[in-house]
Structures are given as structure tokens and as C-alpha cells.
Amino acid sequence: MERIAGDIGGTKSWLAWVAIPSHGAQQLRFEKIYVSADFASAEALLRQFMADAQTACQADELILALPGPLHAQRVRLTNLDWTLDATEMQTALGIARVRFINDFQAAAAGVATLTDADVIALNAQAAAPGGVRAITGAGTGLGLAFMLADAQGRYQSFATEGGHIDFAPANALQARLLEHLRADQGHVSWERVASGSALKDLYRFCCAELGHSPAGEVVDGAALTVRAESGDAAAETALDLFIDLYGAWVGNVALMYQPFGGLYIAGGVATHMLARMQSPRFMAAATDKGRMRGVVERTPIFLITCKRLGVQGAMVQSQIDSPAAFKYQ
């Protein structure tokens, strides 16, 4: 069996080609990261990947983790102007089996592949065996999925579009942010304030709050961090605001799912802000839940540092009959 697994993101796409022997672990043939915006469609991206792989083998199966709500194996991506249909892609690429899953459903499945070296404990509580797990994370957008254990203790992952629920401010500053964004965008979801794509708006808002002119365009969390370190007060304020918002969101997830089996934070934004994510400020925002503070305090919360979680999860998710048997080499 020859399988292509991919994690398609609004910014980058990570693809892997693996050979699956009848016995033993998957063997990686080829792997590459692409800039998603360099391609007009997912089909063009996959054709380039297959050419770059330079293998005479024919792919038997394709599984893609995609950011957006799936319906009947068809999806229009949330932060990328692509529409994908599994049946159409199967015909176009000549691959016998094509399957799509939500990107955070794949990330949730990828949790099973992590080692202790792949996570940092932000709230060091003991995880309950077989307890509900949840995973959320700010990348280009804001993803959320949860995991439930079956009778054999194997976790199955379930997608949500929770990142698009209504944003609720926790203080006067955040209330002004809501009004600022509502005037520009109409509906304001949590993704509009706690994601990579939100950083430029947070920076502009903080410039307005401080009476400063924006010092150019903010590209990502790394760029904002550099500006803060160089003395840009608006950048520093925006980073503090982001950590407050992200912490509040993670606390909300803890209340919604009570994931005492572990609440995992993924996504590329956090890797650019490791020191801030590990600061007391983040957990202070997460636990600021009034009478329900204790629920968050009892929740084991982990920050995932593994950069290839999504593609590993796509590999796991493709092994429908025995997801726990996955082993990457």
C-alpha cells in the first residue's frame, strides 16, 4: 500500500508519502513543506508533490487534513481560496481512495504519536486515564477538536468549528476591541482575536489605543515579537492582549469539555511565543472563570512543540481499523 498524507494549512501545507508493508511500521518515502499560496488549487499542489517525490510507485490512497467544515467529502477552505471535492480529486489524480478530514481532527489523532519531548506542561496536573481530551490551537485560524476513548481505551477524534463561536470580551479593553472589530468585520468570532490572522488587527487596535502610527505591516507572531523586543510599545501591548485572549479561550475549552485526559494546545503561533505561553499571565487568563475557576485549575494543559503534528495525525487517522497500532519511523 502506498499512501500520501497531508496537512493543508492557510499558510503552509505539509505532505508525506509513505509505504505501508503488510507487516511492520510505515516507511517514509518522501516529505516536503510547501507555501500554500504558491498554488492555484490543491490539485496543483499534489501534482507538484508527486513530481517532487520522484518515485515510480503509484499512490493507492490519499488522506488530507483540511481547515474548514466538511460536508459529503467536499469543503471550501476557511483561510485559503480553494474548494476540494474528494470524488473529483480521485478522478483527476488517478488515486483509488481519497479521503478528507478536518485539520484539527487530524491534530487530535496526532496526539497519540507524541512523546514527552513533544509537549510542555503549562498546568502540570495528572491526566485521567480514559478521560476526555481536547485540542485547540492558533495557526492561520483557530481550530478545536475533542477525543473520546472507546471501550478498548483507544481515542477517536471528532471535529468542531468551535473557533468560529462568538467572541466575548472579559474586560473594558477587550470590549473596545470587540467594537473596533465589529465595525470593520461584522460578526466577531474567537478566531478573529486569537489566531495568527488576528495579530495584525490586534496590533492596529493597540496602536490606536496608544495613539501610535503602525510601524508597517505585521506578518506573524515572530515579527510582532521582534518589534516588541525593539521597543515598540504597541507590539508589546498587542502580545499581552493576545496572551490574555488565548488564555481565556483555552479556559473556555476546559469548561466546555472538562478534558481531564488532557487539554492540548497546538498551532504555529505559540511556538513563536514560548516564553509568553509559559508565563503566569497565560494561566491567569485561563483560570479567570469566577466560580468555575477550579475546573480549569484541575485540567492538565499541555503545549505541543511538535511541528509535524497534523501530518502525523493524518497518517494515524487513515488507519481506521487500528489507530493505536500506528508507529512512525
Side-chain angles (χ1 to χ4, degrees), residues 67-242:
L70 287 159
H71 178 67
Q73 289 293 284
R74 181 179 174 86
V75 60
R76 179 167 184 170
L77 303 193
T78 306
N79 294 301
L80 196 62
D81 190 22
W82 294 356
T83 299
L84 289 76
D85 182 283
T87 301
E88 292 175 1
M89 187 167 287
Q90 182 178 348
T91 301
L93 298 178
I95 298 177
R97 183 178 183 224
V98 174
R99 183 177 173 223
F100 299 158
I101 60 173
N102 176 268
D103 59 341
F104 262 77
Q105 183 182 2
V111 168
T113 73
L114 299 176
T115 68
D116 290 344
D118 294 320
V119 298
I120 296 171
L122 299 184
N123 195 41
Q125 302 294 317
V132 176
R133 293 176 176 174
I135 184 168
T136 190
T140 305
L142 179 64
L144 174 65
F146 64 96
M147 302 93 98
L148 301 176
D150 62 18
Q152 288 72 45
R154 300 180 305 187
Y155 278 93
Q156 299 187 29
S157 58
F158 299 88
T160 84
E161 289 298 330
H164 297 283
I165 65 176
D166 299 340
F167 165 59
N171 55 40
L173 177 65
Q174 293 178 21
R176 292 196 297 275
L177 172 65
L178 174 60
E179 291 308 311
H180 172 83
L181 294 175
R182 183 180 284 153
D184 183 51
Q185 300 169 355
H187 178 254
V188 181
S189 67
W190 274 96
E191 181 171 288
R192 296 291 192 184
V193 301
S195 67
S197 59
L199 289 172
K200 62 181 182 297
D201 290 324
L202 294 184
Y203 178 62
R204 289 172 185 155
F205 169 74
C206 289
C207 284
E209 283 283 304
L210 296 176
H212 295 177
S213 297
E217 192 71 22
V218 170
V219 178
D220 53 27
L224 200 58
T225 300
V226 169
R227 288 190 187 181
E229 291 172 349
S230 68
D232 186 329
E236 182 72 26
T237 303
L239 287 170
D240 285 345
L241 177 56
F242 177 83

Side-chain angles (χ1 to χ4, degrees), residues 19-44:
I20 306 169
S22 55
H23 300 285
Q26 299 183 5
Q27 304 296 320
L28 181 66
R29 289 194 184 278
F30 182 70
E31 185 171 23
K32 189 170 180 178
I33 303 170
Y34 298 87
V35 176
S36 302
D38 287 349
F39 299 89
S41 65
E43 181 185 331

